[in-house]
Amino acid sequence: GGGGRGPPHDSGNYTKCPWETGFFHPQNGSYNTEYGNFFLEWYSDSLIDHGDRVLTSVSEVVRSHNSWSQQMAVQFLREDGAKMVRAIDEVKVGIKIAGVHWWYKSISHAGELTAGYYNTRNRSGYRAIMEMLKKHGAVANFTAVEMRDCEQPDYAKCSPQGLLAQLQEEALEVGIPLSGENALQRYDKFALDQIEHASYGEETKESCPQLKRLTFLRMGPSMFDNWDAFESFVVRMNRRRPHETAEALSLQNFY
């Protein structure tokens, strides 16, 4: 519990498992009490309100930029030598949603609660974030698209794939675009296949990818050491792109 309306005093520390604490305990954790709900709502709402204020300020600057960039275009050559002209896309604002996937399969979702995402087995903590983003015409960007559940330690009840699936479903229901990026710089087939699956899925709705944009992290010596694997990945991704975007530049977003 907590002292009056102060923060919880029994939430443990970074090295504690949920069942070793009073606040996150799976049977009688105080996160699931009137006090716990009060504190977690305050914590989560404070961060969402902060994001709302920041996006309000940023959006004003972006609107000013977009008003003059709409008159500009870029030229590039296709593989067959034909010259193409493409209008510069409007700048989109968005936020990163951290891939806090540890304890996702537990009832309290202790990792997410600690980070300010009031998401539990019985409560969606991302819907309010998505609705705030929709108000600004902003994008949600998930940061662990290369990870699979089977790669994580069993005791930590991780589920990066479950978290991504929840975000994809809620972004679709609210009506905002969901983008993604990898958390770790990996070039093995297992990770690259997972990024492809996260981007397009087994089945796509009206041929649209589940992720609207992908950022691949990051440009540096490791990328050039594994250039063949990275190039093959880009070719595969482009082959699966919807027809209407086939003329877009291939590598738009990576650092």
Side-chain angles (χ1 to χ4, degrees):
R5 291 307 192 194
H9 60 74
D10 56 353
S11 55
N13 56 45
Y14 191 75
T15 63
K16 296 295 184 182
C17 294
W19 57 86
E20 298 176 305
T21 74
F23 192 75
F24 299 114
H25 196 278
Q27 272 75 51
N28 54 6
S30 52
Y31 80 92
N32 197 30
T33 63
E34 181 182 357
Y35 162 75
N37 181 65
F38 157 78
F39 174 76
L40 292 169
E41 278 194 344
W42 168 82
Y43 184 18
S44 175
D45 288 350
S46 296
L47 296 176
I48 294 172
D49 290 344
H50 172 69
D52 189 18
R53 291 192 298 270
V54 171
L55 283 175
T56 297
S57 298
V58 171
S59 295
E60 293 178 1
V61 177
V62 170
R63 279 195 297 271
S64 174
H65 167 84
N66 285 337
S67 65
W68 61 262
S69 67
Q70 291 174 354
Q71 311 301 320
M72 302 179 66
V74 293
Q75 291 186 353
F76 62 96
L77 295 178
R78 295 194 319 190
E79 291 182 0
D80 61 5
K83 183 180 293 186
M84 302 297 298
V85 178
R86 180 170 180 254
I88 293 179
D89 292 337
E90 287 190 353
V91 174
K92 291 288 187 180
V93 297
I95 66 169
K96 286 189 178 184
I97 296 179
V100 184
H101 56 81
W102 44 100
W103 307 119
Y104 185 86
K105 292 181 180 179
S106 70
I107 190 169
S108 69
H109 291 224
E112 291 161 278
L113 298 190
T114 302
Y117 299 108
Y118 191 2
N119 191 58
T120 70
R121 186 175 294 173
N122 302 313
R123 183 187 190 279
S124 170
Y126 299 101
R127 178 60 62 93
I129 298 174
M130 302 291 186
E131 290 172 348
M132 182 270 289
L133 293 174
K134 185 173 183 178
K135 182 175 73 172
H136 294 282
V139 178
N141 185 37
F142 179 64
T143 60
V145 296
E146 87 287 5
M147 293 185 176
R148 298 178 191 244
D149 293 4
C150 62
E151 299 175 302
Q152 316 304 322
D154 290 339
Y155 80 89
K157 299 184 181 297
C158 300
S159 185
Q161 291 174 277
L163 177 54
L164 173 59
Q166 180 184 351
L167 294 174
Q168 288 175 320
E169 180 179 339
E170 296 199 8
L172 183 62
E173 290 179 357
V174 173
I176 68 164
L178 180 67
S179 298
E181 64 184 58
N182 50 312
L184 305 175
Q185 192 171 5
R186 292 174 54 181
Y187 298 93
D188 57 283
K189 187 176 186 300
F190 204 54
L192 296 179
D193 284 352
Q194 176 58 22
I195 294 175
E196 182 179 356
H197 174 75
S199 299
Y200 294 101
E202 296 294 344
E203 297 179 1
T204 58
K205 183 178 181 181
E206 297 178 355
S207 299
C208 293
Q210 294 183 22
L211 296 180
K212 299 303 181 185
R213 287 185 181 271
L214 173 69
T215 299
F216 192 94
L217 301 177
R218 64 184 27 90
M219 181 178 285
S222 184
M223 173 179 283
F224 294 110
D225 289 343
N226 295 274
W227 187 255
D228 288 346
F230 177 65
E231 185 178 39
S232 174
F233 166 70
V234 171
V235 169
R236 278 178 18 225
M237 292 289 286
N238 283 336
R239 283 176 180 163
R240 295 191 58 174
R241 294 163 72 193
H243 174 72
E244 60 269 20
T245 62
E247 302 298 348
L249 296 176
S250 298
L251 299 177
Q252 292 184 25
N253 299 306
F254 62 93
Y255 301 8

